[in-house]
């Protein structure tokens, strides 16, 4: 009997990596928005940009809230730009003093983060993000397998203690604020001693406690710059 006709193959899948944009808005959220464009590949017309995403229209009720947007980006080079209609960026003002900030993360790595800017600020980044190499030398002579670029979640700060339950700093941020900005730049350096004795992040949040222990036990090193280049419009 003749063999059955081959069934049509399914459509090829397109691999993408979960990427998140996280922004803590200031007291004027309607002034802020951001965009992401994919840059042209080497075999395409240079200078072309493909629109990927624009932020939602933030409302007055979003003031000082944390807004997150999840995307799934294909391999390539991208450009992220954050804007402010009045040219004063995310303001760290108010009573109590509120801090505006933003970051973009993918494959378990914070690609860039920032706070204050003027009219706009632009970052260039690539997907996928390579995982950080291990600092522990291998004693095995067996070749390692190819690195995996499978999407992962952001690795939380390694805790050697327990955060003080229900802790909030003088800016009304919990210990999660300090964990989310693990690495560069450290919020523990900037705000860790803010507050009365016994109520500072350096005394209540494991992210800061671990960092101080690491500094005390290791020689001084020069902090590396975060991946991705940046430019700012005055």
């Amino acid at each position: 009997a003749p063999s059955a006709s081959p069934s049509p193959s399914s459509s090829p899948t397109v691999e993408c990596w979960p990427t998140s944009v996280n922004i803590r808005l200031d007291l004027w959220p309607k002034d802020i928005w951001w965009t992401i464009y994919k840059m042209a590949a080497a075999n395409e017309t240079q200078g072309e940009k493909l629109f990927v995403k624009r932020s939602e229209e933030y409302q007055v009720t979003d003031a000082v809230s944390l807004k997150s947007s999840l995307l799934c980006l294909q391999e390539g080079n991208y450009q992220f730009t954050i804007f402010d209609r009045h040219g004063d960026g995310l303001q760290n003002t108010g009573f109590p003093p509120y801090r505006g900030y933003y970051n973009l993360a993918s494959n378990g790595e914070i690609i860039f983060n920032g706070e204050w800017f003027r009219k706009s600020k632009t970052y260039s980044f690539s997907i996928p993000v390579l995982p950080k190499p291990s600092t522990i030398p291998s004693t095995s002579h067996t070749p390692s397998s190819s690195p995996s670029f499978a999407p992962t979640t952001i690795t939380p700060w390694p805790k050697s203690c327990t955060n003080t339950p229900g802790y909030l700093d003088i800016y009304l941020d919990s210990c999660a604020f300090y964990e989310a900005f693990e690495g560069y730049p450290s919020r523990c350096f900037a705000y860790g001693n803010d507050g009365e004795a016994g109520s500072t992040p350096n005394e209540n949040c494991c992210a800061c406690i671990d960092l101080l222990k690491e500094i005390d036990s290791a020689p001084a090193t020069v902090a590396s710059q975060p991946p991705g280049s940046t430019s700012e419009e005055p």
Side-chain angles (χ1 to χ4, degrees):
S3 59
S5 301
S7 58
S9 59
S10 58
S11 301
T13 58
V14 177
E15 193 170 25
C16 63
W17 284 261
T19 303
S20 62
V21 176
N22 311 291
I23 179 169
R24 169 74 177 271
L25 295 161
D26 60 11
L27 295 173
W28 298 273
K30 290 179 70 68
D31 294 346
I32 303 296
W33 82 97
W34 52 263
T35 61
I36 292 180
Y37 283 84
K38 186 176 182 182
M39 310 307 292
N43 61 344
E44 299 174 341
T45 303
Q46 294 303 304
E48 286 188 357
K49 295 194 298 184
L50 176 65
F51 174 78
V52 175
K53 176 73 175 181
R54 187 192 191 281
S55 63
E56 62 182 284
E57 186 73 22
Y58 300 124
Q59 304 300 315
V60 173
T61 52
D62 293 326
V64 305
S65 64
L66 179 63
K67 308 291 286 187
S68 296
S69 298
L70 182 63
L71 306 86
C72 203
L73 300 181
Q74 300 174 23
E75 181 175 0
N77 298 317
Y78 292 84
Q79 190 177 81
F80 170 94
T81 303
I82 187 168
F83 302 90
D84 184 276
R85 288 184 174 87
H86 289 166
D88 55 3
L90 291 169
Q91 294 292 297
N92 299 339
T93 58
F95 186 81
Y98 294 109
R99 292 176 298 212
Y101 60 83
Y102 56 90
N103 69 45
L104 185 143
S106 182
N107 199 31
E109 302 290 340
I110 294 178
I111 301 176
F112 59 79
N113 56 54
E115 294 182 346
W116 189 84
F117 61 96
R118 292 186 177 90
K119 186 177 180 180
S120 67
K121 194 163 188 178
T122 297
Y123 296 83
S124 297
F125 65 98
S126 298
I127 297 292
V129 178
L130 298 179
K132 292 181 179 179
S134 172
T135 57
I136 302 175
S138 174
T139 58
S140 173
H141 297 289
T142 304
S144 60
S145 59
S146 300
S148 172
F149 301 120
T152 60
T153 57
I154 297 177
T155 303
W157 188 281
K159 297 179 181 179
S160 63
C161 61
T162 302
N163 293 330
T164 300
Y167 173 75
L168 294 176
D169 65 12
I170 62 171
Y171 305 97
L172 303 183
D173 282 312
S174 68
C175 290
F177 171 82
Y178 298 91
E179 296 171 8
F181 281 92
E182 176 268 327
Y184 175 92
S186 172
R187 267 39 187 177
C188 299
F189 286 130
Y191 310 112
N193 287 320
D194 290 0
E196 300 292 335
S199 65
T200 68
N202 283 346
E203 298 166 293
N204 292 273
C205 297
C206 290
C208 299
I209 294 172
D210 284 352
L211 179 62
L212 294 177
K213 288 181 179 178
E214 182 179 345
I215 292 173
D216 289 340
S217 61
T221 57
V222 178
S224 60
Q225 294 296 316
S229 59
T230 176
S231 63
E232 185 172 355
E233 182 180 344

